[in-house]
Amino acid sequence: MKKITVLLFVLLSGIAVVGCNATAADTVFDSNGEIYAFAAISSASLIADAPSAPLSMQTAFLLADGDEPLVTDEIAVLNDYLNMMERFLAPAGGFAFVEGVSDRPEFEHMITFTSVDILGEPVVMILYYNEEALSPEPEDLAETTTEEPETTEEPETTEEPEDTEEPEDTEEFDEETETALTGVLVIGAEEYVIEGKKEIEDNEQKIEIVSKVDEDNYVTVVSKIEEGERKFEYTVVSAGVVVQSTEVKIENEDDEVKFELSFLQGGAEGAYVFKRVNEDGVDLIKIEYSISEGGVEESGEIKIVVNVDPITGETTYAYHVETDDDKEADIEEEREDEEDEEDEMEETEA
């Protein structure tokens, strides 16, 4: 399992998604069920790639020497997220969630995710889940019963009950409701336990999903919409310690899904925009980036293709970096498939 050598950190701020379902501002997801599935799939990928060192022990961002691009120190981290994002960076029409009738009696809902990876191979994953509305606290019920006799004490006019009905409706609309989510994500022969909750308060919604191996190894994902873009905030816990925190923004641009990875690490910060493109008949992933630390800034482009070993069939990512000031670098990193993830999950469980 790879060690992440660059600290990623994003402060988790207020969590708000307007409305009860995915909104018009959300151009990628059509329902809460699709948000659940995306969060479950992406978090399961991060569990397999989770670093073992806690945030305080991970090596800080290091400035590259000479003519080597600064971003080369980030490639190991980007590779973990690329393994996750490749499934969602499908060409137009190749990325779909289908909600259907569950074929497992213990689960009410089933969502099938289908996509095509960069080699043209089909990707299929299934999320089974149940949702259960949690009952309001007994104290809240007691408060509503004490208000009823007070309204009957004033029978003088018929206008007063009409006035009192309006705030009662508003209070019911603004009441906090909570729904529990439990399920399993099926990826090949492996199953991941999924837990989560949905809270609505003052017409604002919070969605939180936890994908876990056990109580000490899990990923928490919090979803929100901000400025018309869907955001997912990830916290990765390994051996009971937080080892990674970051944020991914998702939007639909010209019928293509675009991902932006953001991080803040001490005095260093950066942003990476992932897209899948076809250049000269070759499918590849392109990353536009900008990073800065200690007054040093760098921006540029990274192009990634998949290399296949003709003998073993193993695949790797080949990164070609070009900075805006004409520095270049070529780096090769591991590319994981479903079998690799299952092997790493077994190692984590052991």
Side-chain angles (χ1 to χ4, degrees):
M1 184 180 297
K2 296 183 292 297
K3 307 295 188 215
I4 292 186
T5 58
V6 180
L7 176 63
L8 296 181
F9 182 69
V10 171
L11 293 178
L12 299 177
S13 58
I15 304 157
V17 179
V18 179
C20 298
N21 294 299
T23 69
D26 192 336
T27 60
V28 179
F29 303 98
D30 294 328
S31 69
N32 282 335
E34 294 186 3
I35 297 171
Y36 299 156
F38 176 86
I41 292 168
S42 58
S43 61
S45 298
L46 291 180
I47 284 180
D49 290 323
S52 58
L55 291 177
S56 60
M57 296 176 61
Q58 292 178 31
T59 305
F61 185 96
L62 300 176
L63 296 179
D65 295 327
D67 294 330
E68 186 174 318
L70 303 180
V71 77
T72 55
D73 292 317
E74 300 281 344
I75 296 300
V77 175
L78 292 177
N79 200 67
D80 291 332
Y81 282 88
L82 184 61
N83 276 298
M84 176 189 85
M85 292 180 187
E86 185 189 335
R87 296 161 172 164
F88 300 99
L89 289 169
F95 174 111
F97 293 98
V98 178
E99 301 189 36
V101 178
S102 175
D103 54 13
R104 291 193 178 187
E106 66 270 32
F107 295 106
E108 181 179 357
H109 304 283
M110 179 180 76
I111 296 181
T112 302
F113 168 76
T114 58
S115 183
V116 179
D117 67 19
I118 200 169
L119 294 177
E121 296 294 327
V123 176
V124 179
M125 304 179 190
I126 303 174
L127 174 66
Y128 297 92
Y129 70 95
N130 293 323
E131 285 186 290
E132 180 183 359
L134 302 180
S135 301
E137 295 294 331
E139 294 179 358
D140 297 334
L141 295 176
E143 290 177 1
T144 58
T145 56
T146 57
E147 292 177 358
E148 293 179 359
E150 293 178 5
T151 58
T152 58
E153 291 178 359
E154 299 179 356
E156 296 178 2
T157 64
T158 58
E159 295 179 355
E160 292 179 1
E162 294 178 359
D163 293 336
T164 58
E165 287 178 1
E166 292 180 4
E168 285 176 2
D169 290 340
T170 304
E171 289 174 4
E172 290 178 2
F173 183 74
D174 291 341
E175 275 185 356
E176 180 178 350
T177 62
E178 186 173 345
T179 303
L181 171 74
T182 56
V184 295
L185 174 67
V186 180
I187 304 178
E190 191 67 40
E191 293 192 0
Y192 299 78
V193 176
I194 305 297
E195 297 177 355
K197 62 182 178 180
K198 177 179 64 179
E199 295 180 356
I200 302 174
E201 183 176 7
D202 297 331
N203 201 34
E204 293 183 345
Q205 178 175 274
K206 167 186 173 180
I207 294 178
E208 180 176 325
I209 298 293
V210 180
S211 180
K212 61 169 60 177
V213 176
D214 51 41
E215 295 301 320
D216 293 325
N217 298 277
Y218 59 89
V219 177
T220 300
V221 189
V222 176
S223 175
K224 64 179 179 179
I225 285 183
E226 187 174 284
E227 298 179 352
E229 296 173 322
R230 170 69 62 180
K231 294 187 177 182
F232 292 85
E233 295 170 335
Y234 295 84
T235 301
V236 182
V237 176
S238 180
V241 179
V242 174
V243 294
Q244 189 181 100
S245 297
T246 190
E247 178 183 88
V248 174
K249 289 196 300 186
I250 306 174
E251 62 179 326
N252 199 322
E253 185 178 273
D254 299 327
D255 295 326
E256 293 182 346
V257 177
K258 182 177 76 173
F259 292 81
E260 181 176 340
L261 171 66
S262 302
F263 73 87
L264 174 63
Q265 171 212 311
E269 58 183 296
Y272 302 82
V273 178
F274 293 70
K275 292 182 179 180
R276 178 166 167 173
V277 298
N278 186 287
E279 294 187 357
D280 300 325
V282 178
D283 273 338
L284 56 88
I285 294 172
K286 183 166 68 175
I287 301 175
E288 297 174 355
Y289 74 91
S290 61
I291 56 177
S292 65
E293 184 194 21
V296 180
E297 298 183 356
E298 178 181 286
S299 59
E301 183 178 86
I302 305 171
K303 293 183 179 180
I304 305 145
V305 296
V306 174
N307 290 334
V308 182
D309 188 298
I311 299 176
T312 65
E314 294 183 356
T315 58
T316 56
Y317 288 124
Y319 291 76
H320 179 70
V321 179
E322 293 184 9
T323 70
D324 290 343
D325 56 357
D326 299 326
K327 294 180 181 179
E328 295 189 20
D330 291 289
I331 301 171
E332 193 167 22
E333 289 282 348
E334 293 180 356
R335 175 180 179 268
E336 295 183 348
D337 55 23
E338 292 180 9
E339 292 183 1
D340 293 330
E341 288 188 359
E342 290 171 13
D343 291 342
E344 290 198 10
M345 283 294 297
E346 291 175 359
E347 292 176 6
T348 303
E349 290 171 343

